[in-house]
Amino acid sequence: MPPTAAEYAARQEIPVAQVQSRAPRPTIVGPDTLEQPFPIYLVGPVQKGFGRGGKDLGCPTANLPDDSITPISSVAKTGVYYGYAQVLPPQDHLSDFHNADLKVLPMVMSLGWNPFYKNKVLTAEIHIMHNFKSDFYGYEMRAVVLGYIRPELDYISREALIEDIEIDKQVALNCLQRPAYQIYANDSHFQIPESEFKASM
């Protein structure tokens, strides 16, 4: 079994990424039912990252603090994952959000060092597949990671990275259509009082 992301970080070692190839990619990955170590639950306040996701890649991401990613970094290798996520604004900021912004939404997540940008620290960057109208730095984000898509790769161009990110999104959506995965959109990890949804409408 390859080292976990946390084991690499503890050794202060960055894994060598494969060079991205143009081989056709599958449109769905993994088994029809969850296998260990999934599901993996994450929760923490969204913090500012490098600001590259939305600006450079058209794929804005939310970063979780280091201590919030231990549940996945301690059991999983680096790579791209999929699952569901939800942003929970504080009560006094609910009016900034539409009802759709509060829902449990599909996400893709990168765990690792992002070889294309040569990061020096381990990060977990979550892209929620939804067009939020406002930033949510500092707000609580909850996520459940349900499966693995692919390893971290190095890219010869930004365009090649963007192309793979778009494929990652579609693969995640396809994978989440399976009944054993769909049920996690209603997991108790995400439940919030109905009154909060009403207050935002």
Side-chain angles (χ1 to χ4, degrees):
M1 179 178 174
T4 65
E7 288 170 339
Y8 273 116
R11 298 199 301 245
Q12 297 184 332
E13 180 182 343
I14 298 176
V16 177
Q18 305 170 41
V19 176
Q20 173 261 4
S21 66
R22 296 310 327 143
R25 291 183 53 189
T27 58
I28 193 167
V29 295
D32 287 340
T33 57
L34 274 70
E35 294 181 344
Q36 291 294 326
F38 308 107
I40 300 171
Y41 295 95
L42 305 175
V43 60
V46 175
Q47 63 181 15
K48 282 187 178 290
F50 300 103
R52 297 183 299 228
K55 181 174 63 177
D56 287 2
L57 305 174
C59 179
T61 58
N63 289 39
L64 287 174
D66 294 347
D67 59 353
S68 297
I69 67 174
T70 302
I72 186 167
S73 66
S74 61
V75 298
K77 59 189 177 182
T78 58
V80 178
Y81 293 82
Y82 66 90
Y84 292 104
Q86 180 187 42
V87 176
L88 297 174
Q91 189 71 36
D92 58 345
H93 284 271
L94 273 173
S95 60
D96 298 337
F97 277 56
H98 298 292
N99 195 40
D101 299 335
L102 301 172
K103 291 183 177 180
V104 177
L105 299 160
M107 66 81 171
V108 288
M109 183 186 80
S110 171
L111 175 70
W113 282 265
N114 201 327
F116 181 73
Y117 287 107
K118 307 296 187 290
N119 288 0
K120 300 299 183 184
V121 294
L122 174 67
T123 60
E125 302 175 54
I126 293 177
H127 170 69
I128 301 176
M129 286 182 264
H130 175 73
N131 184 23
F132 289 91
K133 302 302 182 185
S134 59
D135 292 332
F136 43 84
Y137 294 121
Y139 296 176
E140 181 178 296
M141 182 167 62
R142 292 175 171 263
V144 57
V145 185
L146 299 176
Y148 173 80
I149 296 178
R150 63 171 175 84
E152 279 201 302
L153 300 170
D154 204 351
Y155 291 87
I156 57 173
S157 69
R158 185 167 60 91
E159 290 72 25
L161 172 57
I162 291 171
E163 181 180 342
D164 253 9
I165 288 172
E166 292 305 313
I167 295 173
D168 292 337
K169 293 179 191 178
Q170 191 56 57
V171 170
L173 291 172
N174 293 342
C175 290
L176 292 171
Q177 289 299 309
R178 297 176 291 195
Y181 294 80
Q182 283 183 325
I183 61 174
Y184 284 92
N186 298 310
D187 193 274
S188 59
H189 184 59
F190 295 120
Q191 290 180 359
I192 64 173
E194 185 180 350
S195 60
E196 293 192 7
F197 281 109
K198 290 180 179 178
S200 67
M201 297 178 68

